[in-house]
Amino acid sequence: MNISNNVLLREESSFLAGARDCLPTVLGYLSIGFAAGVVEKTAGLSFVEIGLMSLLLYAGSGQFIAAAMIAAGSPAFAIIFTIFFVNLRHLLMSAAISPYFRHLTPSKNILIGSLLTDETFGVAMNAAAGKTMISEKWMHGLNLTAYLNWFIANMAGAYFGAWIADPEKFGLDFALPGMFIGLLVLQMAARKKIFRDIIVALSAVAIVVVVSMLTSGSVGVIVATVVASTIGMAVEKWK
């Protein structure tokens, strides 16, 4: 019995298991990555530039922003600055998941963190429930499957984007927020903590609106993420 349990545990922690657990997000990545490729192509980027952006930047929101700012003729420093602040949330996600990889060296942690996305973070945190550590092989399987899928979807969008002159006509510009809304609803339904989630969501919306009126939308997102997360923790302890 112990032997079979050990075998099962190794299988659940393997690279293939991580790749398998990534499959529910594959369709979302395909649609969003395709939309990103189309938008980037219509912004005037070449196939090589789109491929490098998907591999090096590897951020849906960042790539949509970059494409829009490139099309508008924005300077490079403004594009870099904006993407940097929009993706600062990755610091929070990395900090949240890092305790599960304390058994790894800093270099291995950097490798895992460099491919962490909103979706793989969500899958990993769900898998980490009741555990003190996450398998390195499993995480690589999860991350690399998402990474390659994103690249393929971007290139497919770049190829077919040559025939799509107006992405907004097909709603492709709304693909990213649409996917995040879907993921949010599914997570709320699975967690069954509707009261706390609604409080956090309403707080985040209110903070984004207020802060965006005072500064910028990017700063509003960052402030809302930190404050709303703190509110969620306070509500959880209060209950």
Side-chain angles (χ1 to χ4, degrees):
M1 186 68 177
N2 289 333
I3 295 176
S4 60
N5 286 338
N6 290 335
V7 172
L8 181 60
L9 182 61
R10 286 198 298 271
E11 290 178 349
E12 292 177 346
S13 302
S14 67
F15 181 94
L16 290 178
R20 180 196 62 209
D21 291 339
C22 185
L23 293 180
T25 68
V26 164
L27 290 179
Y29 266 70
L30 285 174
S31 59
I32 304 305
F34 182 87
V38 171
V39 171
E40 289 158 359
K41 185 63 177 177
T42 56
L45 297 177
S46 67
F47 283 99
V48 174
E49 290 170 333
I50 293 172
L52 289 174
M53 184 178 289
S54 65
L55 291 174
L56 299 178
L57 179 55
Y58 185 43
S61 57
Q63 289 178 224
F64 277 99
I65 291 170
M69 295 184 73
I70 289 172
S74 302
F77 78 89
I79 298 174
I80 295 171
F81 186 78
T82 303
I83 293 174
F84 173 76
F85 276 100
V86 168
N87 287 288
L88 271 178
R89 69 186 185 281
H90 286 273
L91 292 177
L92 300 176
M93 293 191 296
S94 297
I97 203 172
S98 62
Y100 297 98
F101 296 99
R102 287 175 177 165
H103 58 289
L104 300 180
T105 62
S107 59
K108 290 183 177 180
N109 272 284
I110 290 174
L111 182 60
I112 289 174
S114 63
L115 294 181
L116 189 68
T117 66
D118 299 274
E119 294 76 24
T120 57
F121 171 78
V123 174
M125 292 305 291
N126 285 334
K131 299 178 181 178
T132 58
M133 56 181 280
I134 299 176
S135 165
E136 178 187 7
K137 292 181 179 179
W138 180 90
M139 195 67 196
H140 283 316
L142 174 68
N143 277 343
L144 288 174
T145 301
Y147 186 53
L148 294 175
N149 183 45
W150 179 256
F151 172 74
I152 293 171
N154 268 248
M155 299 314 295
Y159 178 77
F160 290 103
W163 292 280
I164 303 177
D166 186 11
E168 294 183 8
K169 180 179 179 181
F170 300 94
L172 294 178
D173 57 322
F174 188 71
L176 186 64
M179 184 187 71
F180 281 133
I181 291 172
L183 289 172
L184 175 62
V185 172
L186 290 175
Q187 274 201 332
M188 289 177 65
R191 284 152 46 88
K192 297 180 179 179
K193 296 181 179 180
I194 304 298
F195 176 74
R196 186 183 68 176
D197 290 341
I198 290 177
I199 290 178
V200 172
L202 292 176
S203 301
V205 171
I207 294 167
V208 165
V209 172
V210 173
V211 176
S212 297
M213 291 174 63
L214 299 175
T215 56
S216 67
S218 299
V219 175
V221 171
I222 296 168
V223 173
T225 300
V226 175
V227 177
S229 299
T230 304
I231 292 173
M233 292 176 60
V235 172
E236 179 71 12
K237 291 184 178 180
W238 174 69
K239 290 185 67 179

